[in-house]
Amino acid sequence: MKKVLPFILVLLLALTACGTQEIEETASPEENKTEQGANADKEPKKELTAEDEKFTKLMTEKNYDAIIKDSVSLKTEEQKNFYYLASAFIKNNEVQTKTFAETDYNAAKTDYTVIVNYLKRVKYVPDEIKAEVDELRKVSEEKAAFYTEELEKQPTE
């Protein structure tokens, strides 16, 4: 049973990363950017719930496993939000400890793309970790782009 639980957790993370995103009917990207820019200052701050505060505290303590455990049901928006945040940081920690072969650009690209995809699903980032999340997003996007470029340079067989 002890060996099955980590396997199920890894499988769940992989399935979530590869899951389809919901299709939303919205305005065109140009209209969205204009509306978001105009309304950015007018939008009220998100009212924090007890769940937000609990998960924010766990995030600042870097207790990502507890967040995953408490939010894996994905029942509320807060649970989904913090599940994706914690998953991104867990995946980043895995990538940092992983050693890639010099030419294994595909594995590296995939790992960084998973982090970027998790962060794209996040709708709310607490102020306490905003800088850290922004840095993770920036670095992951840059590395995913770098490895994509390296893959494109490789000769096709």
Side-chain angles (χ1 to χ4, degrees):
M1 183 66 185
K2 289 182 179 179
K3 292 181 180 180
V4 174
L5 188 58
F7 175 75
I8 291 172
L9 183 59
V10 169
L11 182 61
L12 181 63
L13 287 172
L15 289 174
T16 303
C18 298
T20 58
Q21 294 181 345
E22 294 178 15
I23 299 174
E24 297 178 9
E25 292 183 24
T26 59
S28 69
E30 290 91 20
E31 291 173 1
N32 263 348
K33 288 179 185 175
T34 306
E35 289 176 16
Q36 287 175 350
N39 294 331
D41 295 329
K42 297 177 186 175
E43 290 180 20
K45 283 231 173 213
K46 180 183 183 324
E47 215 171 292
L48 297 180
T49 65
E51 200 168 32
D52 280 327
E53 292 173 7
K54 172 183 143 188
F55 287 138
T56 299
K57 183 175 186 278
L58 290 171
M59 285 296 294
T60 56
E61 295 171 353
K62 299 186 184 324
N63 194 348
Y64 307 126
D65 292 330
I67 294 169
I68 296 293
K69 181 182 170 197
D70 290 348
S71 64
V72 76
S73 67
L74 303 175
K75 290 181 181 176
T76 66
E77 282 302 313
E78 288 84 6
Q79 287 178 350
K80 290 177 188 176
N81 196 61
F82 283 97
Y83 176 85
Y84 296 137
L85 278 171
S87 296
F89 280 97
I90 288 172
K91 186 65 175 175
N92 184 56
N93 290 342
E94 289 173 11
V95 171
Q96 299 306 315
T97 59
K98 189 188 265 189
T99 54
F100 296 106
E102 269 188 45
T103 57
D104 196 4
Y105 297 127
N106 196 37
K109 175 192 160 237
T110 301
D111 285 342
Y112 285 108
T113 302
V114 167
I115 295 169
V116 170
N117 286 337
Y118 277 134
L119 293 175
K120 283 182 179 178
R121 293 179 175 189
V122 172
K123 294 183 175 144
Y124 165 71
V125 177
D127 292 337
E128 294 87 345
I129 60 168
K130 187 161 183 49
E132 193 176 357
V133 170
D134 290 343
E135 181 65 21
L136 177 61
R137 182 184 322 255
K138 178 183 167 210
V139 168
S140 297
E141 287 173 349
E142 287 172 356
K143 290 196 177 197
F146 169 77
Y147 287 116
T148 300
E149 287 176 20
E150 291 299 317
L151 279 171
E152 290 171 357
K153 292 178 186 175
Q154 299 293 315
T156 55
E157 297 173 18

